[in-house]
Amino acid sequence: MSFTSEVKDELAHVPPECSHCEKATLAALVRIEGTLFVSGPGHYRMEVATDTPSVARLVIRLLHTLYRLKTELTVRRSVLHKTPNYLIEVPSQAGLADALRDMGVLSADGGLEMGVSPGLVQKKCCAAAYLRGAFLGSGFLSSPKSDFHFEITVESEALAEGIVELLARSGVAARVMQRRSSHMVYLKSGNAILEFLAFAGAHQAALLMEQERVVKSVRNDVNRQINAEVANQNKAASAAVDQIFAIRQVVERHGMENLPPALQEFIKLRVTYPDASLKELGERANPPLSKSAVYHRVRRIEQLAREAAE
């Protein structure tokens, strides 16, 4: 099961907070996943399709309990993806037109409503319920193990803007992008996605996502630390090679016995401990030397090497 399916399954089981929440959820689902057919003046039939069984059960239950509408369920299996698809057919019947108007799908004169009906989302809990229905309809959320990506795809720009407004009311910043003939409401920020999940009621999904964020953060910190240590080691190793090359030039030019005692001591330490850092070389000196003191001797060796090369 994909992470999107897991989130939808959790959202489909969120209990309503008030008597109007379920209507808001059903309205969003019908607006996004429903297809309306007109068989004559004032006569309609409808189809709602979904790939998630818990969503199909929710749609059927709400159509029955809220509006007492008759439904027919057909389970279809995709030849390409080998996954079932659930087609809920609502035949033409008394009460369907009134239900569509009550859900904000049809206006009073029978035309299609394009945005979010304000009467459905007056309360905060109903706004959350509508957003639940929108995600249950066409939402997608990438696995928290990968890059964060969240989207809800709708056909109407007005509906997309209405969803963005509902998200803004809950403190979640979203954007709309047109994709061919549809409009995509998307979130890119991990914090914004977490806020949506918490507001919509997917608390288990939010917890799982937060755990993955912590794992990613720790992994990134460890990787940065390892990369920094490797880079420092490579830098130190390269510097040590340059120092040994300079030492060879100086000793060949001046002779070991003709160099100052301080330089002789450094040369012996560097040759004996070629992988040691300057700080470690200073600790091995007798008496111990500071890193700056050792570095001063390195600069003197390098200067003598340059003079020898000239």
Side-chain angles (χ1 to χ4, degrees):
M1 180 183 292
S2 68
F3 188 60
T4 297
S5 298
E6 292 179 12
V7 175
K8 288 186 176 183
D9 189 62
E10 183 178 0
L11 289 176
H13 293 90
V14 175
E17 292 189 30
C18 79
S19 58
H20 301 288
C21 286
E22 289 188 324
K23 181 168 70 173
T25 298
L26 179 61
L29 269 165
V30 168
R31 284 295 307 277
I32 294 175
E33 288 295 87
T35 304
L36 193 61
F37 302 89
V38 181
S39 56
H43 294 279
Y44 307 93
R45 68 181 182 87
M46 182 175 66
E47 294 180 354
V48 180
T50 178
D51 295 330
T52 309
S54 56
V55 175
R57 289 192 294 269
L58 177 65
V59 171
I60 293 172
R61 180 177 67 81
L62 295 181
L63 287 171
H64 289 177
T65 57
L66 297 179
Y67 300 107
R68 301 186 182 280
L69 294 173
K70 298 177 182 178
T71 61
E72 298 173 2
L73 175 65
T74 302
V75 181
R76 304 173 296 184
R77 185 169 294 276
S78 169
V79 177
L80 179 62
H81 301 291
K82 306 296 184 182
T83 56
N85 177 270
Y86 304 89
L87 177 66
I88 304 157
E89 298 178 84
V90 186
S92 179
Q93 57 192 287
L96 178 55
D98 290 337
L100 293 171
R101 282 189 286 268
D102 191 50
M103 288 186 287
V105 177
L106 292 179
S107 61
D109 59 5
L112 285 175
E113 292 282 5
M114 304 308 292
V116 178
S117 176
L120 293 169
V121 292
Q122 290 181 346
K123 299 172 66 175
K124 183 178 180 179
C125 60
C126 294
Y130 196 95
L131 291 173
R132 270 199 302 275
F135 188 86
L136 289 171
S138 63
F140 169 81
L141 181 55
S142 63
S143 169
K145 296 180 183 297
S146 61
D147 293 334
F148 299 125
H149 182 76
F150 170 103
E151 66 179 60
I152 297 174
T153 305
V154 299
E155 293 184 359
S156 163
E157 183 178 5
L159 180 57
E161 295 293 348
I163 292 173
V164 168
E165 183 179 344
L166 288 181
L167 288 168
R169 280 168 49 182
S170 64
V172 180
R175 294 184 179 181
V176 177
M177 181 175 68
Q178 186 169 2
R179 179 191 289 167
R180 298 188 181 91
S181 60
S182 61
H183 296 80
M184 181 182 71
V185 178
Y186 68 95
L187 306 173
K188 280 292 186 180
S189 161
N191 286 332
I193 296 173
L194 280 173
E195 289 170 0
F196 168 84
L197 292 174
F199 182 64
H203 301 294
Q204 291 299 320
L207 179 61
L208 177 60
M209 184 173 170
E210 182 61 27
Q211 289 174 341
E212 287 297 333
R213 289 183 70 191
V214 171
V215 171
K216 283 183 181 180
S217 177
V218 172
R219 184 184 298 119
N220 291 337
D221 289 344
V222 170
N223 287 339
R224 280 193 294 269
Q225 184 175 355
I226 291 175
N227 291 338
E229 290 177 356
V230 170
N232 289 336
Q233 290 173 359
N234 290 339
K235 183 178 178 181
S238 177
V241 170
D242 292 339
Q243 291 163 21
I244 291 174
F245 181 74
I247 287 171
R248 183 179 297 116
Q249 289 181 300
V250 171
V251 171
E252 289 177 354
R253 174 68 182 273
H254 298 282
M256 185 72 167
E257 66 281 0
N258 297 320
L259 296 174
L263 295 186
Q264 291 186 32
E265 181 185 28
F266 168 76
I267 290 172
K268 292 176 181 177
L269 287 171
R270 171 50 77 201
V271 173
T272 306
Y273 306 104
D275 297 327
S277 65
L278 296 184
K279 180 181 178 181
E280 291 169 341
L281 291 180
E283 292 172 350
R284 293 179 181 277
N286 187 20
L289 299 170
S290 66
K291 182 179 177 180
S292 60
V294 177
Y295 183 63
H296 178 75
R297 300 180 186 192
V298 171
R299 293 184 61 185
R300 180 61 180 151
I301 290 289
E302 291 174 343
Q303 180 183 358
L304 291 174
R306 285 193 299 269
E307 293 174 356
E310 294 174 357

